[in-house]
Amino acid sequence: MPTDSVGCGVLRAIGRSPGWGLQQFVIEQIFPSDVLKGRSSMRPNIVIVQADQMAAQALGAYGDDAAQTPHIDALAEHGAVFDRAYCNTPLCAPSRASMMTGRLPSDVGCYDNGDDFPASMPTFAHHLRAVGYHTALIGRMHFIGPDQHHGFEERLTTDVYPADLDMVPEWGRPLDQRLQWYHTVDPVFTAGPSQATAQQDFDDEVVFHSLRYLTDRVRHNQASGDDAPFLMVTSFIHPHDPYEPPQEHWDRFSETAIPDPQFPDPADPAQDPHSHRLRVMSGFDQRSPSLEEVRRARRAYYATVSYIDDHIGRIRRRIEELNLADNTVIIVTSDHGDMLGEKGLWYKMSPYERSSRVPLIIDGPDHLVPQGRFAHPVSLIDLLPTLLELSEAPGSDTPGMSLLEAARRERDGHTKPQDRDVLIEYLAEGTHAPQLTLIRGQYKYVVCPGDPDQLFDLEQDPHELHNVASAEEYVNLAQALRIELESRYGIEQLTKNVLESQKRRRLVAHALQQGTRRPWDFIPDAEQRYVRGDFWGALDYGQIRLPQAD
């Protein structure tokens, strides 16, 4: 257990770790002394709350009148809201690896949910830890591979999914020959309230440990006399399918008119083969939900979003109760969205807005976070440089831009929406080749070898109903955007890399299933926070008494 975590006795709780002198020497070799000396003693604490599969469009802060998300909405009211924030791949593990490294999935070499995340790749947790932040991960991050920390000093829960190479796609496999872990139609047909589920158990544990961690940091600083800042990443599994909210949250929507999908009909397979492949892979080509079943699934989804909002409210209250609010930045986001029946699609894996757009809200002290709504396209790879700015850590050679800087530039009129591109990659199951998407201003251009190119004018066609790639007035633009994509990617080489990776990982995964198995799952340390060793000292360490108003 880390030496500055809550734990056994007071001496161990407030002491430096044995290797502190060596660590300080290493830091000074990496970062110039003038950089370290220039860091503010009041660098903010940072709390990142990430939901899984939470579409921006399902939140009150993003205009959904049916949503019941008062805590997220309150953060948006005071903070910075990015109205066009995108994930860089609409799939869990590679989206999170991309977000944490500030690099595209193809640069990280993390293509899908069965791909190991290299331990040598710096993450924002490494960067902040190197400049004195205590870094903790609580909940889900879908790390695949033996490194289950990736820079976090402390991890307080295991993940909800296994860390092994269990979900390796096979592009040459017919999609109707479904692998065991594919998304299926079942969650849409079985949606509804549950008194207990594995996902509820997980998220309830995540919020418990998040609240306890905040308290523990105050304890540590109180005992040590040190106000070292912290980074807490709290990551929930909801509203990811299966859509099974607690009864309380289901009942909240008994009188609420949740909107039906606006365009539920599947796209023409000849015009949109990718959507057709996703439907075949999940079985929606064989079994279609009725309108009542769609409504039930969407109600359950909205209820699970409300459940996550309640957890965010608990975290906000604890921050306020511990007098941390004046120096804490809270960031709310997701790894991707959910189609929820639009275009006959469910879940993610699509470049359409409902799947690829994410909420991105930053709330914090006024001198750190520009308030307002910002319309310029941004993406999750912009989170790393944002955290570096907040922590006053040295910059990193990554393609993203600090979201705070992007907001300032937009507010001051120094940039236009088309001045900066956003890239989305999809390299996993349900395709046969790399699907690459470029967003420039109001335009979204999609390329996948063997499929028709797609171009959508999101200003004129926000629901992405009309592919104008071959329309006369858009031909030159489509050609320019394709040239841009081809200049950024060697698509043939990327295809070869993905196929070779899949082949290697299938062999390794098969071999590791033979004989004695040693899973890579993270197993939390046994609880040591209560009375151990120094009896009265441990009790004294555990007590927090904040100044009371007269």
Side-chain angles (χ1 to χ4, degrees):
M1 171 171 279
T3 55
D4 67 346
S5 338
V6 216
C8 32
V10 178
L11 292 178
R12 209 161 54 139
I14 66 174
R16 295 288 191 182
S17 64
W20 182 81
L22 176 60
Q23 293 167 6
Q24 186 68 16
F25 171 79
V26 171
I27 289 174
E28 289 171 355
Q29 300 308 303
I30 296 173
F31 302 130
S33 59
D34 58 333
V35 171
L36 293 174
K37 289 179 181 177
R39 288 188 283 119
S40 167
S41 62
M42 288 300 293
R43 291 173 297 159
N45 305 309
I46 302 169
V47 172
I48 299 174
V49 181
Q50 184 167 51
D52 195 318
Q53 209 160 294
M54 187 165 73
Q57 299 91 330
L59 303 178
Y62 286 85
D64 193 318
D65 293 334
Q68 296 188 30
T69 52
H71 302 294
I72 297 175
D73 298 349
L75 291 170
E77 183 69 24
H78 178 263
V81 181
F82 295 87
D83 285 320
R84 295 190 62 200
Y86 293 89
C87 63
N88 297 100
T89 185
L91 196 66
C92 302
S95 179
R96 294 159 183 269
S98 173
M99 175 190 73
M100 286 203 62
T101 60
R103 300 180 184 277
L104 293 168
S106 60
D107 292 333
V108 180
C110 189
Y111 301 134
D112 52 62
N113 277 347
D115 212 342
D116 51 318
F117 179 7
S120 59
M121 187 70 68
T123 68
F124 59 63
H126 289 112
H127 283 280
L128 270 65
R129 185 174 175 181
V131 295
Y133 272 71
H134 186 272
T135 56
L137 171 60
I138 305 166
R140 169 165 172 70
M141 200 50 78
H142 210 152
F143 292 148
I144 303 299
D147 184 355
Q148 287 297 301
H149 284 79
H150 286 285
F152 288 105
E153 183 175 350
E154 192 171 16
R155 186 167 186 181
L156 297 175
T157 73
T158 190
D159 211 310
V160 71
Y161 289 171
D164 302 319
L165 305 176
D166 291 339
M167 302 182 187
V168 182
E170 187 176 352
W171 278 358
R173 185 186 187 92
L175 291 170
D176 57 358
Q177 295 180 20
R178 299 181 181 92
L179 293 171
Q180 183 270 340
W181 47 268
Y182 280 178
H183 273 82
T184 72
V185 300
D186 291 344
V188 178
F189 291 91
T190 61
S194 294
Q195 277 62 48
T197 70
Q199 293 194 161
Q200 286 180 34
D201 290 349
F202 184 80
D203 281 349
D204 288 347
E205 182 179 353
V206 168
V207 77
F208 169 82
H209 282 289
S210 298
L211 300 178
R212 178 66 66 82
Y213 175 80
L214 292 168
T215 303
D216 288 346
R217 294 317 300 164
V218 173
R219 283 177 173 141
H220 168 72
N221 290 351
Q222 177 178 272
S224 66
D226 179 14
D227 285 332
F230 63 82
L231 166 70
M232 181 181 84
V233 176
T234 292
S235 189
F236 297 107
I237 180 63
H238 285 91
H240 192 289
D241 58 287
Y243 309 123
E244 298 171 334
Q247 184 72 47
E248 171 194 354
H249 298 83
W250 172 265
D251 290 344
R252 291 179 185 182
F253 291 86
S254 60
E255 305 296 328
T256 300
I258 295 171
D260 293 334
Q262 290 183 274
F263 301 96
D265 294 336
D268 179 357
Q271 295 299 315
D272 184 0
H274 182 69
S275 291
H276 180 67
R277 289 191 295 267
L278 295 180
R279 285 173 52 79
V280 171
M281 182 182 71
S282 300
F284 285 103
D285 63 323
Q286 300 294 320
R287 187 181 178 199
S288 294
S290 67
L291 178 58
E292 186 55 39
E293 288 165 330
V294 168
R295 288 174 172 170
R296 186 175 178 85
R298 287 171 67 92
R299 175 179 174 181
Y301 180 87
Y302 276 66
T304 58
V305 171
S306 185
Y307 164 76
I308 291 299
D309 185 73
D310 278 0
H311 283 337
I312 291 173
R314 293 185 181 98
I315 291 170
R316 289 187 66 212
R317 281 195 298 274
R318 181 60 55 88
I319 289 170
E320 292 166 357
E321 290 164 356
L322 294 170
N323 287 351
L324 296 172
D326 289 344
N327 195 40
T328 298
V329 173
I330 302 175
I331 300 173
V332 174
T333 191
S334 180
D335 54 352
H336 49 73
D338 191 316
M339 291 298 293
L340 285 182
E342 294 290 349
K343 305 179 190 298
L345 296 174
W346 292 81
Y347 323 130
K348 57 271 189 171
M349 300 174 283
S350 168
Y352 285 128
E353 293 283 287
R354 184 92 205 193
S355 165
S356 63
R357 266 187 58 204
V358 296
L360 192 46
I361 299 167
I362 306 177
D363 181 51
D366 292 344
H367 68 283
L368 293 175
V369 180
Q371 294 185 26
R373 304 192 75 99
F374 302 95
H376 289 48
V378 297
S379 72
L380 290 180
I381 63 171
D382 296 324
L383 188 58
L384 182 144
T386 306
L387 300 184
L388 298 191
E389 178 181 340
L390 287 169
S391 65
E392 302 179 15
S396 179
D397 184 21
T398 56
M401 174 190 292
S402 166
L403 294 161
L404 307 176
E405 175 64 15
R408 289 190 294 266
R409 291 187 184 187
E410 179 175 341
R411 182 189 59 194
D412 297 340
H414 293 159
T415 58
K416 298 178 181 178
Q418 66 270 24
D419 288 345
R420 184 162 173 260
D421 297 339
V422 166
L423 291 169
I424 300 172
E425 304 175 346
Y426 188 72
L427 309 167
E429 64 270 13
T431 187
H432 55 252
Q435 185 191 68
L436 306 172
T437 300
L438 187 150
I439 297 168
R440 178 175 292 172
Q442 71 194 67
Y443 303 108
K444 178 187 286 186
Y445 189 72
V446 185
V447 169
C448 182
D451 293 356
D453 291 359
Q454 294 178 298
L455 174 63
F456 298 103
D457 183 338
L458 299 176
E459 189 172 286
Q460 300 299 320
D461 177 28
H463 301 292
E464 301 164 289
L465 301 176
H466 307 292
N467 177 12
V468 295
S470 58
E472 182 177 356
E473 61 270 35
Y474 290 94
V475 167
N476 290 339
L477 173 63
Q479 184 179 14
L481 294 177
R482 184 174 183 95
I483 291 172
E484 179 64 26
L485 268 178
E486 290 175 343
S487 72
R488 295 174 183 246
Y489 291 92
I491 297 179
E492 289 185 8
Q493 184 61 49
L494 179 56
T495 303
K496 181 180 178 181
N497 293 346
V498 173
L499 290 171
E500 289 178 348
S501 172
Q502 291 176 359
K503 183 177 179 180
R504 288 195 307 269
R505 287 182 285 129
R506 284 197 299 272
L507 172 61
V508 172
H510 174 73
L512 293 180
Q513 293 295 323
Q514 313 310 309
T516 302
R517 291 196 60 217
R518 294 181 175 85
W520 288 329
D521 295 331
F522 171 71
I523 307 299
D525 294 332
E527 187 62 79
Q528 293 291 320
R529 73 182 58 253
Y530 303 114
V531 177
R532 299 292 185 273
D534 180 353
F535 184 92
W536 294 110
L539 293 176
D540 182 62
Y541 175 79
Q543 183 184 76
I544 297 174
R545 287 188 174 176
L546 298 176
Q548 299 295 314
D550 293 334

